[in-house]
Amino acid sequence: MTTFDKVQTIFVKKYDLPAERIVPEATLESLGLDSLDLIELLFEVEEEFNIRVPQEGVAGVRSATVQQIVDSVDKLVAEEGMPAAGGR
């Protein structure tokens, strides 16, 4: 399972979004996530991938695309010395 697949699964399970809406170019804003949803998403991502998302990286999340989140997760996983699952 790729990083994209795992992130997509989080969106589907946590926010009841159809998988076909979770595409790399979709922004979190376009998916209808509010500020509280974004914080919860970060917690889910941290738990799923066993990483810590730096607080300074949270500010621009609302306008981030799904692919940017996947890329950030892969980078954080690599930095923490674990093999990355790969992008899409």
Side-chain angles (χ1 to χ4, degrees):
M1 184 176 256
T2 67
T3 302
F4 178 84
D5 293 333
K6 289 181 180 181
V7 169
Q8 184 182 50
T9 299
I10 291 171
F11 278 107
V12 171
K13 287 183 177 177
K14 182 100 178 134
Y15 304 106
D16 245 354
L17 292 167
E20 57 273 4
R21 283 194 60 203
I22 316 304
V23 294
E25 58 275 1
T27 63
L28 302 186
E29 193 170 31
S30 74
L31 295 172
L33 275 67
D34 63 24
S35 298
L36 180 58
D37 292 330
L38 299 179
I39 292 167
E40 291 175 354
L41 173 67
L42 292 176
F43 285 137
E44 293 285 330
V45 165
E46 286 181 336
E47 187 174 308
E48 175 69 31
F49 294 95
N50 196 27
I51 57 173
R52 290 285 306 138
V53 176
Q55 290 304 310
E56 61 272 8
V58 174
V61 170
R62 189 162 168 79
S63 62
T65 65
V66 173
Q67 186 61 52
Q68 287 171 317
I69 291 170
V70 168
D71 293 344
S72 295
V73 167
D74 282 339
K75 182 177 180 231
L76 288 168
V77 168
E79 286 174 0
E80 296 195 16
M82 300 168 66
R88 180 163 189 202

